[in-house]
Amino acid sequence: MAAGTRSTGQDQPTTRGFTRHANTSNCRDRPRRDRFLLPARRAAAPPRLGSCAPGELCLWKRPDFKGARQVYDLRSIEIESCTALPPGTDAASLANRTGRPVAAYQSETCAETAEFDTYPGGGSWVPQSPYRVRAFKVWES
């Protein structure tokens, strides 16, 4: 008997607890499990971008560009001035296509003690803001 093997009493040596069978069939005789393909899982679709034309800042009431939409452009806002959303409204998603950086604020007075983020003006799409947007400021490029 070879070193490292022991007898099971049936003249079939074992190695490390596994029995070697004298009559092993060829692997090709058994169906291969890797030949059966399962249908691929579909990845979750990214949120559909909301409608927002070039030159506009668009804000939506709900995440994923859904709900009531508010639209602002450079004709209706002052650069580097805080623009509060109408009283009682806020936004959960936004798109900045103004061509200028826009800061979105949690505070309706653009207070920097609350949360705020600045989004580039070349086409920023935010499907879910980390806070409710209540005001914004458009910056000079």
Side-chain angles (χ1 to χ4, degrees):
M1 196 175 302
T5 62
R6 62 187 167 90
S7 176
T8 61
Q10 300 175 352
D11 293 345
Q12 294 179 351
T14 61
T15 305
R16 296 188 183 124
F18 295 99
T19 303
R20 292 184 185 172
H21 296 281
N23 186 10
T24 57
S25 63
N26 190 334
C27 293
R28 286 179 252 154
D29 296 340
R30 289 181 267 145
R32 290 180 51 186
R33 293 180 193 264
D34 62 345
R35 290 186 183 170
F36 301 104
L37 298 177
L38 298 174
R41 289 186 180 171
R42 285 188 171 178
R48 184 176 165 193
L49 298 180
S51 175
C52 190
E56 294 180 338
L57 171 66
C58 304
L59 301 112
W60 287 266
K61 179 73 175 166
R62 296 190 352 237
D64 298 328
F65 314 108
K66 296 180 181 174
R69 179 178 68 138
Q70 300 176 54
V71 178
Y72 298 87
D73 63 29
L74 297 177
R75 297 173 299 160
S76 62
I77 55 176
E78 292 184 41
I79 302 297
E80 298 187 12
S81 293
C82 182
T83 303
L85 300 184
T89 64
D90 55 24
S93 54
L94 64 97
N96 178 16
R97 301 197 65 204
T98 63
R100 298 171 187 234
V102 170
Y105 294 86
Q106 183 181 35
S107 163
E108 51 279 313
T109 61
C110 298
E112 294 181 5
T113 55
E115 295 289 327
F116 71 96
D117 288 297
T118 302
Y119 301 100
S124 299
W125 299 86
V126 182
Q128 185 163 2
S129 173
Y131 50 85
R132 302 302 294 183
V133 175
R134 294 180 178 90
F136 64 88
K137 194 182 288 188
V138 177
W139 297 97
E140 200 57 55
S141 297

